[in-house]
Amino acid sequence: MTQITPEQPHGAHLPDEAGVRRRRGAAGDDLIVLEGVNKHFGDFHALRQIDLRIPRGQVAIVLGPSGSGKSTLCRTINRLETIDDDGGRILIDGRPLPTEGRQLAQLRAEIGMVFQSFNLFAHKSILENVTLGPIKVKGKRRADAERHAMELLERVGVAQQARKMPAQLSGGQQQRVAIARAIAMQPRIMLFDEPTSALDPELVGEVLAVMKQLAAEGMTMVVVTHEMGFARQVADRVVFMDHGQVVEDAEPEAFFARPSSERARDFLSKILSH
């Protein structure tokens, strides 16, 4: 397996784009399905009648201006946000999203999520952060969990930091640990909610390199991001949102070259001009 290390150039990519971008999943093999999903926060209509199907092994990049519903969409997939009780539903591998209890806990163990903030346990070492879930949730033996954790930390280039506390690592290193922690649960889906937005610009590339490796290995991913270069290279599709609605859903080449909506054209002109 290719090891991703901090010494790789920032923004480093895998040998060719074809190696990163896999073809879209087969019809009828949808791992994530949203049907008629709405979400209100009081009077604010955050998600408006969302219909979305994400096949197994696909990387869906969610773009849009601030407040468009991107993060809310991402958070509903593992029920960190509940959806309105109006007939809409979310299915994971053909099963309705559980509402609570053990079934929901089991499902969340299969859906890794990486946030803007790293959310590491400040009082636990890096190794303890990565082993906690497999030991407590999946019942792994400590020795096995630690061996797997060290393999993952080596893979994301921070194995040498295993005994340190989170505060002793850079932001980029902490975010790579957060990804390793999510992967340690052996998820079927990875959700990323603007994972590089809290990082200094020079640290962004090392986190994106880890995400590119995951994409190349066939992980089903939903990624909320403003990193246009990453979206162009890694996405199987781009979902563009505005005012809680999916305005465009297209392959990246088409979206970036020929956006069909005026709103997307305006968004890209502002983002790409910076």
Side-chain angles (χ1 to χ4, degrees), residues 43-58:
D43 292 334
F44 178 63
H45 201 169
L47 296 178
R48 300 171 181 263
Q49 206 66 23
I50 300 293
D51 291 305
L52 196 64
R53 293 176 175 269
I54 300 174
R56 197 179 315 274
Q58 185 176 87

Side-chain angles (χ1 to χ4, degrees), residues 184-240:
M185 296 296 289
Q186 298 177 305
R188 292 188 293 160
I189 299 167
M190 284 289 292
L191 308 176
F192 293 89
D193 186 8
E194 299 197 25
T196 61
S197 65
L199 299 177
D200 292 334
E202 65 270 19
L203 301 177
V204 168
E206 61 190 52
V207 173
L208 295 181
V210 176
M211 294 170 65
K212 289 175 185 177
Q213 180 72 67
L214 280 176
E217 293 166 3
M219 176 67 74
T220 305
M221 297 166 59
V222 179
V223 185
V224 176
T225 185
H226 288 294
E227 298 293 337
M228 297 298 110
F230 177 80
R232 282 177 182 267
Q233 186 178 20
V234 179
D236 294 307
R237 73 200 279 192
V238 172
V239 176
F240 177 75

Side-chain angles (χ1 to χ4, degrees), residues 232 240 247-248 250-269 272:
R232 282 177 182 267
F240 177 75
V247 178
E248 293 196 37
E251 294 189 352
E253 293 87 349
F255 177 78
F256 285 105
R258 301 175 303 279
S260 60
S261 67
E262 182 61 35
R263 186 65 188 92
R265 287 192 291 272
D266 179 62
F267 173 81
L268 287 174
S269 68
L272 298 178

Side-chain angles (χ1 to χ4, degrees), residues 32-38 47-54 73 87-90 237 239 241 244-249:
I32 305 169
V33 175
L34 290 84
E35 296 179 341
V37 168
N38 287 281
L47 296 178
R48 300 171 181 263
Q49 206 66 23
I50 300 293
D51 291 305
L52 196 64
R53 293 176 175 269
I54 300 174
L73 173 71
R89 64 177 187 164
I90 299 176
R237 73 200 279 192
V239 176
M241 296 185 66
Q245 296 178 300
V246 174
V247 178
E248 293 196 37
D249 184 352

Side-chain angles (χ1 to χ4, degrees), residues 100-143:
E100 58 186 13
R102 181 175 296 178
Q103 285 185 320
L104 180 60
Q106 289 174 341
L107 179 72
R108 283 179 174 159
E110 298 178 355
I111 303 177
M113 185 156 188
V114 179
F115 302 87
Q116 298 178 40
S117 54
F118 319 124
N119 287 351
L120 299 178
F121 295 109
H123 62 291
K124 293 186 179 293
S125 72
I126 295 307
L127 182 61
E128 290 171 329
N129 265 277
V130 179
T131 59
L132 186 63
I135 292 171
K136 297 293 187 183
V137 178
K138 295 209 163 186
K140 277 195 172 185
R141 293 175 57 249
R142 182 173 300 277

